Each structure stands twice: as C-alpha cells, then as structure tokens.
Amino acid sequence: FVKLVADAGSGRLLGASVAGSYGHEALMLAAALLELGAGRADLAAMAFPSSSPAEALAEAAASATAP
C-alpha cells in the first residue's frame, strides 16, 4: 500500500505512507524526495527496477498525475 500526499496546485510532495514488506525502502526514497522538494511528476518520471518498493511510489505518482 502506498499513499502520496501532494499539493494540489504545484504537485509538490508533502508526505507519504507505505505499508508492506520492505516498505522502509520506499520510505527512504520518499524522505529524500521530500527533502529535495520533488513533485509528483518528478517521481513519476523516474525509472525503477520492476517489482521493487520504489517502483510502487512511482506508480502511485503516475496514477495521481494521469488525466
């Protein structure tokens, strides 16, 4: 389970929740992105290995930015 919280106007990431095995790996990435001031589009544009916790964050960002 991944939940991203982002500003509706700018898309800037404000927080993230992750539940599941190896979720801590995705949270480390989320913390780094928050520190850098990254947005949903930045995360959605990143490439990650398939079937990784970080990929779940990117998929959540991509689905949030999809029309």
Side-chain angles (χ1 to χ4, degrees):
F1 168 79
V2 174
K3 178 181 179 180
L4 296 175
V5 179
D7 181 83
S10 68
R12 183 171 179 238
L13 294 175
L14 302 173
S17 296
V18 179
S21 299
Y22 303 101
H24 62 282
E25 293 179 13
L27 283 177
M28 289 188 312
L29 172 62
L33 292 169
L34 289 169
E35 184 68 25
L36 294 171
R40 289 186 316 237
D42 298 319
L43 177 56
M46 293 179 173
F48 297 100
S50 185
S51 240
S52 70
E55 182 188 32
L57 280 179
E59 288 178 0
S63 68
T65 58

